[in-house]
Amino acid sequence: MTDPILTIKNLTVDLPEGGDRPHAVEKLSVDIAPKEIVCIVGESGSGKSITSFTTMGLLPKALKPSTGEVIFEGQDVLKLSPREHAKLRGSRMAMIFQEPMSALNPCYTVGDQIEEVFEQHTSLSKAERKAKTIKLLDEVQLPEPERIYSSYPHQLSGGQRQRIVIAIALALDPSLLIADEPTTALDLSTQAQILHLFKELREKHSAGIMFVTHDFDVVAEIADKVVVMKEGKIVEQGTAEEVLNRPKHPYTRKLIDAVPRRTGSVNAHMTEKHKVMEVLGLNKTFHTKGTMFKPSRTVHACKDINFIVHRGETLGIVGESGSGKSTLVKCLIRLEDPDSGSVIIDGSDIAQFTPKLLHPYRKSIQIVFQDPYGSLNPRRTIGDQLVEGPINFGEDRAHAMERAKKLMEIVRLEQDALYRYPAQFSGGQRQRICIARALMVEPEVLIADEAVSALDVSVQKEVLKLLNEIRDEMGLTVLFITHDLRVAAQICDNLVVMQNGEIVERGNVDEVFGHPKHDYTKKLLSAQPGQNWNVPDISKLPPVDPALLDQALNQPMGAVR
């Protein structure tokens, strides 16, 4: 049996006094062997990231490991000095973070940032560093490595930036890779490419991989073993096949039960034939000026877009990054002015309105953005942020606050939430607040722009259920923008599929998923991770056996082979 690269034994990381619980991580034991991918899953706050940060020596000063060992290549890294730990980082162990734009310095080229690793840990010459960097860019399957080498992060796509972060992590051929939600913000095709890349790198570099995620389809795609965490403790662990298909712990069953099914509309319902929005011949083109080094460019972000949405309908708009979804949304809410075409709401073409004429119609269409953390002002109370919209449309504050209290009940939050600040809420609660804020001006159309992609699977299920309930109760029309086809199947009645600014396919959910006509739609469906995993029906599993549960909790990860 191969010796583990990493062995964590009875690790406990204490939280500052006065919190909800005493430990961020408690009595955690896990090991990772060469060429092995161990997925750590759980909701936000479960201790997944704290485990990875402890291994890397990147814990905030407020958190301290109180007991346990983290044995990496034969030495306990918890006993190393900061300088000694720093020598391991980048050379023998490396970390890939969730948000590649934040992980990369916008002021330096890609080549400079990769070469920095060689500069810090080796004595290679400038020419040797560049040669190795170009080779790395080619290894992670980036096109035109020479061009990428000289590019800045903002000039590249999200998938390309994530490959660069992976290249930095691989620069010195580490034996341990830690990936913290590396595919969360990526579209399906890019995600599939990155997951395939991880599998290739595991074989090529013989590295052990700790993969932190909340996406069970990703787990089904790449995991050898699975560790399920809740409130800092391991509640279940085993091979991927065991945990995904025969989960023992109620918490694991709850998480798997929240995974959206891939096909079939779950709550398809009849909608009224009253047209709420009609989009006709919408076009938007962007032009960039050329320079000495770069030719001018013309991008057709939206090409002759046509669709109708009826009252009570949820229309899904799906496609990869760069397909034109976000530009379309900006044109619909007039954050961008379309070049031509019409956006007709209640008989009025708002695409042609001047800003002054547009103002009263802005309340007709509201949006919930992807990031619930960046969408709220951290310095203002929730109540102040909710009443701002109605006040801007002439409503008095007292009346607006009364409606805000009622909306808190609708989105399943307490009324005293109005007097608190965003930092006092979880991501799922913040997204509920963003939904309430959008509903404050009583819109006819609600746009959800990747509104659940950053949420845990169980919170995601709750927010999707809430959107369905609000749609039915208030007679709303919903435009649901997403790259996640599983989520689209869960909530949408009809779909349009976008590629390169054009609608390439449309139809109801069952038609598009069950009998796709366009090659691009087929490509998206085939790119879904976990194709061979059928989400089990939790209600049909045998009851939890206390003896098996105790065995699962007490069994060290190294024994699961």
Side-chain angles (χ1 to χ4, degrees), residues 45-77:
S46 62
K48 308 186 303 292
S49 294
I50 293 296
T51 302
S52 60
F53 291 157
T54 303
T55 304
M56 290 293 294
L58 296 175
L59 276 179
K61 290 182 179 179
L63 302 181
K64 300 289 183 185
S66 56
T67 61
E69 298 175 309
V70 179
I71 308 297
F72 174 68
E73 294 187 335
Q75 58 182 334
D76 186 356
V77 299

Side-chain angles (χ1 to χ4, degrees), residues 417-429:
L418 294 170
Y419 308 101
R420 294 154 62 189
Y421 290 87
Q424 296 172 277
F425 298 92
S426 68
Q429 289 172 325

Side-chain angles (χ1 to χ4, degrees), residues 237-355:
Q237 53 184 304
T239 66
E241 197 276 334
E242 290 170 348
V243 175
L244 292 175
N245 297 314
R246 296 181 298 280
K248 299 182 178 75
H249 196 277
Y251 178 70
T252 312
R253 294 185 175 195
K254 171 194 167 189
L255 292 179
I256 291 177
D257 191 46
V259 175
R261 270 53 179 177
R262 293 188 193 90
T263 57
S265 49
V266 175
N267 291 313
H269 64 290
M270 295 298 292
T271 59
E272 297 179 27
K273 290 305 177 185
H274 173 72
K275 286 191 294 190
V276 173
M277 174 185 283
E278 186 172 10
V279 179
L280 299 171
L282 189 74
N283 289 278
K284 181 64 181 178
T285 303
F286 294 99
H287 303 279
T288 58
K289 294 181 179 179
T291 66
M292 288 177 61
F293 309 102
K294 196 170 165 187
S296 60
R297 250 182 107 207
T298 298
V299 177
H300 299 281
C302 289
K303 300 179 192 175
D304 200 26
I305 301 295
N306 296 278
F307 62 83
I308 295 173
V309 196
H310 297 95
R311 188 178 305 282
E313 177 185 356
T314 298
L315 176 68
I317 302 176
V318 301
E320 297 173 288
S321 298
S323 62
K325 304 189 305 294
S326 295
T327 299
L328 172 60
V329 167
K330 289 177 182 177
C331 290
L332 295 180
I333 60 178
R334 287 291 303 275
L335 291 180
E336 291 278 1
D337 292 330
D339 300 332
S340 61
S342 301
V343 179
I344 301 170
I345 297 179
D346 283 345
S348 299
D349 184 2
I350 66 170
Q352 308 302 322
F353 282 1
T354 63

Side-chain angles (χ1 to χ4, degrees), residues 5-13 25-32 50-51 54-56 64-80 85 93 210:
I5 289 172
L6 178 73
T7 298
I8 301 175
K9 296 180 181 178
N10 295 316
L11 176 67
T12 297
V13 179
V25 171
E26 186 176 356
K27 296 181 180 178
L28 183 142
S29 295
V30 62
D31 67 34
I32 301 174
I50 293 296
T51 302
T54 303
T55 304
M56 290 293 294
K64 300 289 183 185
S66 56
T67 61
E69 298 175 309
V70 179
I71 308 297
F72 174 68
E73 294 187 335
Q75 58 182 334
D76 186 356
V77 299
L78 297 182
K79 295 179 180 178
L80 298 180
H85 215 148
M93 60 170 65
M210 179 190 293

Side-chain angles (χ1 to χ4, degrees), residues 103-162:
L104 295 170
N105 191 323
C107 300
Y108 291 89
T109 65
V110 167
D112 286 338
Q113 296 186 64
I114 299 176
E115 283 188 27
E116 185 181 10
V117 180
F118 295 119
E119 193 173 353
Q120 291 292 322
H121 293 278
T122 72
S123 57
L124 295 174
S125 66
K126 173 68 177 174
E128 290 171 326
R129 293 199 299 265
K130 180 174 181 179
K132 279 189 168 287
T133 298
I134 296 293
K135 185 179 178 182
L136 270 173
L137 293 174
D138 185 59
E139 184 179 344
V140 296
Q141 301 166 22
L142 280 163
E144 304 175 75
E146 290 281 357
R147 178 183 66 82
I148 298 287
Y149 175 90
S150 304
S151 299
Y152 289 87
H154 72 273
Q155 296 174 304
L156 306 173
S157 70
Q160 289 174 328
R161 290 194 291 261
Q162 193 61 283

